[in-house]
Amino acid sequence: MKFGIIFYAILGSLALFIGIYLLQYFIPLSIIFFIASFINGVFIYKEYSFHKSDKIEYDENSVPDEIIIKYSRSGRIIAIATYGIFVILGLFFLLGFKFKFNGAAIFILCILLGFTGYFMFKIISEIKKISQIIISINGKGIQVKNNTRYLWSEIQLEKIIVKRLVSRESKHDYKPEINYLYFFHNNEKIEINIDDFDITDGQLAQVLKIFRGRFNNSNIV
């Protein structure tokens, strides 16, 4: 954790100083570096919050009747800020573009409009994701988005699994890890990537165990 925070702090500081320096020469480029510095600040917050949250222990009394899981807010902020950089670049080139009525100029204009419009659309999509419910877990079972809820009586082997991405080039190097919510529903394997959610894999594993226990106890009674 400390290495990640130090790394992002150094990058963020460099971006901030460069942005301040460029204010006197080129304001649009300066703004881009300010946004980059902000993104690194959010990365620091995300890194700190992730490790802090993962130490929280859930028990029967601390878990409500339903757990709602959404996309990570910090992840959305990072994505929106990153796409904002490309929107600024697109607007800069559009404002400086000298249009002439010929094929080449129309083609370039269309490219710039498409480029800028695409990243504006991505920003709107990320904003919509902030309030979107991805997973709901309660005493009845697990619901993914607006699909039919998977009932506990039909679910087996629910757990969190880790997959490592391996390529021929990186066979002996660092292997990125991806966490999944994994379970069987009526003999169908279900896997959901949970790396970009507002709950850690450790917390979700605890939640699954508690709700499974509640269901089993209710059946005994």
Side-chain angles (χ1 to χ4, degrees):
M1 179 183 74
K2 290 182 179 180
F3 174 77
I5 290 177
I6 293 172
F7 176 75
Y8 291 127
I10 293 173
L11 284 182
S13 299
L14 285 173
L16 179 62
F17 290 141
I18 294 173
I20 293 173
Y21 175 76
L22 289 174
L23 273 175
Q24 55 187 324
Y25 300 109
F26 195 47
I27 292 179
L29 187 58
S30 175
I31 294 174
I32 290 175
F33 277 97
F34 284 140
I35 294 175
S37 178
F38 170 76
I39 291 173
N40 278 276
V42 178
F43 269 120
I44 292 172
Y45 170 79
K46 185 177 182 180
E47 187 87 3
Y48 174 76
S49 298
F50 177 83
H51 289 279
K52 184 178 179 181
S53 299
D54 209 33
K55 295 178 181 179
I56 298 175
E57 294 290 335
Y58 286 108
D59 56 39
E60 177 63 34
N61 298 322
S62 64
V63 175
D65 293 335
E66 185 173 29
I67 292 290
I68 300 297
I69 300 173
K70 300 180 179 181
Y71 283 113
S72 166
R73 281 183 176 271
S74 56
R76 305 287 63 73
I77 292 172
I78 290 170
I80 290 170
T82 303
Y83 295 143
I85 291 175
F86 292 105
V87 170
I88 291 172
L89 285 173
L91 291 174
F92 171 75
F93 285 113
L94 279 171
L95 293 173
F97 181 72
K98 296 180 179 179
F99 181 76
K100 297 179 181 179
F101 285 98
N102 57 56
I106 293 174
F107 175 76
I108 294 173
L109 180 61
C110 289
I111 292 295
L112 289 174
L113 288 172
F115 177 87
T116 307
Y118 170 76
F119 285 105
M120 284 183 173
F121 169 77
K122 294 293 287 185
I123 289 175
I124 295 172
S125 298
E126 292 297 331
I127 292 173
K128 289 181 178 179
K129 285 183 179 180
I130 293 176
S131 60
Q132 186 178 0
I133 297 175
I134 306 302
I135 301 176
S136 164
I137 305 176
N138 60 22
K140 295 181 180 179
I142 302 173
Q143 183 176 15
V144 181
K145 295 185 177 180
N146 295 322
N147 298 323
T148 304
R149 187 175 297 274
Y150 302 111
L151 302 179
W152 287 114
S153 59
E154 300 170 347
I155 294 174
Q156 295 177 323
L157 302 175
E158 67 280 356
K159 58 184 176 180
I160 306 301
I161 63 171
V162 178
K163 290 186 177 181
R164 291 176 174 82
L165 298 179
V166 182
S167 64
R168 291 181 179 178
E169 292 77 14
S170 62
K171 189 174 296 183
H172 303 291
D173 298 330
Y174 170 73
K175 303 175 180 62
E177 295 182 349
I178 302 177
N179 296 293
Y180 290 87
L181 167 59
Y182 171 97
F183 59 88
F184 278 90
H185 175 257
N186 291 334
N187 296 321
E188 177 187 1
K189 184 171 68 174
I190 308 295
E191 291 183 353
I192 305 165
N193 187 332
I194 60 170
D195 279 335
D196 198 21
F197 293 161
D198 59 1
I199 188 171
T200 67
D201 54 324
Q203 290 174 326
L204 185 53
Q206 295 176 52
V207 168
L208 290 172
K209 185 176 180 180
I210 289 171
F211 277 105
R212 169 59 74 181
R214 289 178 181 177
F215 173 77
N216 291 341
N217 292 335
S218 65
N219 283 344
I220 292 175
V221 174

